[in-house]
């Protein structure tokens, strides 16, 4: 990837500031390629949680969306967690309010609650376990109880329910517009052009899409799958940033996006990362009582996934 002289200057400045301030930059796979250049770690939600939990840095600059930065704060509350844009949210996380979950819990008093990380800290605090796309099946399988309320993503719920048929799974009606709007028609069109391509899809996609996929995985796992599979061409069904990430990590293969952009993920720019680190804002915090309860739900995920290693 070629960067402009101005971008290179900013990248150098960020690297110097990171050292001076003992800061690390955690970057989600969907971020812009120039932001990858200043990352200490690039990954999916689970890998970024593990890094946030283990870091000794004083400052965590989180390049992703706000629920990810909140999660970093919950996992390592002594650290200063900052994000370039205070309003980089997640449309799916915003769909579920604490009152909706309280209602569901009342309706199903015996059920345990597994909450996808794409949710607010308050929702996590009301849950028995948190999960990510790569740990969802293990968490639902491993959690005690035969009835599970799984929120907020109805598509991920369908996917998990198929893998864990021995449990009754109760869904909420949330979804990610970026993934839910992918259609079979757009996939057929791409297949016409790249007939031999393997299809890799994110489990936030609809069942009708997942049925056509060769692989269903978290964003980071897509990289491992593309490296291992002998195919040369891949259709990538998730947020469009993943296509850039795959091209960078697996340069000898071809990746074609059947994808949409997540505008919240794309709010961060290399300029805003520099400003964020210089001014040390916007600072993310979570109230103490919420942090304590949400941390218990995170720890349940770590217990059921051998500290996040099980999905490597
Ligand atoms: P991953 O944990 O697979 O990276 O997914 C995060 C996300 O927001 C997908 O839309
Ligand atoms: Fe949320 Fe969807 Fe964007 Fe992921 S891609 S952050 S689930 S809106």
């Amino acid at each position: 990837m070629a960067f402009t002289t101005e971008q290179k200057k900013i990248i150098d400045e960020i690297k110097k500031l990171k050292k001076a301030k003992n800061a690390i930059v955690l970057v989600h796979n969907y971020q812009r390629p120039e932001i990858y250049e200043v990352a200490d770690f690039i990954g999916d939600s689970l890998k970024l949680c593990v890094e946030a939990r283990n870091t000794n840095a004083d400052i965590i600059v989180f390049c992703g969306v706000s629920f990810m930065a909140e999660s970093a704060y919950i996992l390592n509350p002594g650290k200063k967690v900052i994000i370039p844009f205070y309003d980089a949210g997640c449309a799916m996380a915003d769909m579920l309010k604490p009152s909706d979950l309280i209602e569901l819990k009342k309706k199903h008093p015996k059920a345990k609650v597994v909450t996808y990380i794409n949710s607010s800290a308050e929702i996590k605090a009301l849950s028995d376990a948190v999960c990510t796309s790569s740990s969802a099946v293990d968490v639902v399988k491993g959690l005690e109880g035969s009835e599970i309320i799984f929120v907020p993503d109805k598509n991920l719920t369908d996917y998990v329910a198929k893998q864990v048929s021995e449990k009754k799974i109760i869904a909420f009606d949330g979804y990610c517009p970026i993934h839910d709007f992918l259609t079979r028609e757009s996939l057929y069109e791409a297949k016409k052009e790249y007939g031999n391509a393997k299809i890799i899809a994110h489990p936030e996609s609809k069942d009708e899409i997942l049925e056509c996929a060769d692989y269903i995985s978290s964003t980071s796992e897509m990289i491992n799958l593309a490296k291992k599979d002998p195919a040369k061409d891949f259709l990538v069904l998730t947020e469009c940033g993943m296509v850039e990430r795959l091209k960078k990590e697996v340069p000898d293969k071809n990746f074609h996006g059947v994808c949409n952009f997540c505008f919240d993920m794309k709010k961060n720019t290399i300029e805003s990362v520099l400003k964020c680190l210089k001014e040390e804002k916007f600072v993310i915090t979570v109230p103490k009582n919420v942090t304590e309860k949400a941390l218990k739900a995170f720890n349940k995920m770590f217990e059921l996934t051998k500290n996040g290693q099980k999905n490597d």
Side-chain angles (χ1 to χ4, degrees), residues 46 134 138-139 303-312:
L46 183 63
S134 57
D138 289 333
V139 171
E303 182 194 313
L304 296 172
T305 60
K306 299 198 170 83
N307 287 324
Q309 303 307 307
K310 214 173 156 193
N311 296 286
D312 275 355

Side-chain angles (χ1 to χ4, degrees), residues 33-47:
E34 56 275 21
I35 298 181
Y36 298 158
E37 297 301 304
V38 295
D40 292 271
F41 298 97
I42 313 173
D44 62 11
S45 307
L46 183 63
K47 288 192 191 314

Side-chain angles (χ1 to χ4, degrees), residues 14 18 24-49 51-52 60-65 68-69 72 82 84 219-220 223 241-242 245 248 265-266 268-270 273:
I14 294 173
K18 281 202 306 183
I24 59 161
V25 180
L26 300 183
V27 176
H28 187 264
N29 287 316
Y30 293 161
Q31 295 288 291
R32 297 168 188 271
E34 56 275 21
I35 298 181
Y36 298 158
E37 297 301 304
V38 295
D40 292 271
F41 298 97
I42 313 173
D44 62 11
S45 307
L46 183 63
K47 288 192 191 314
L48 294 174
C49 281
E51 296 305 333
I60 300 172
V61 181
F62 213 110
C63 299
V65 290
M68 295 178 172
I82 50 177
T219 55
S220 284
I223 299 169
M242 198 57 214
R245 177 84 174 114
K248 182 177 160 69
M265 279 282 183
K266 294 296 183 283
N268 298 329
T269 60
I270 196 71
V273 177

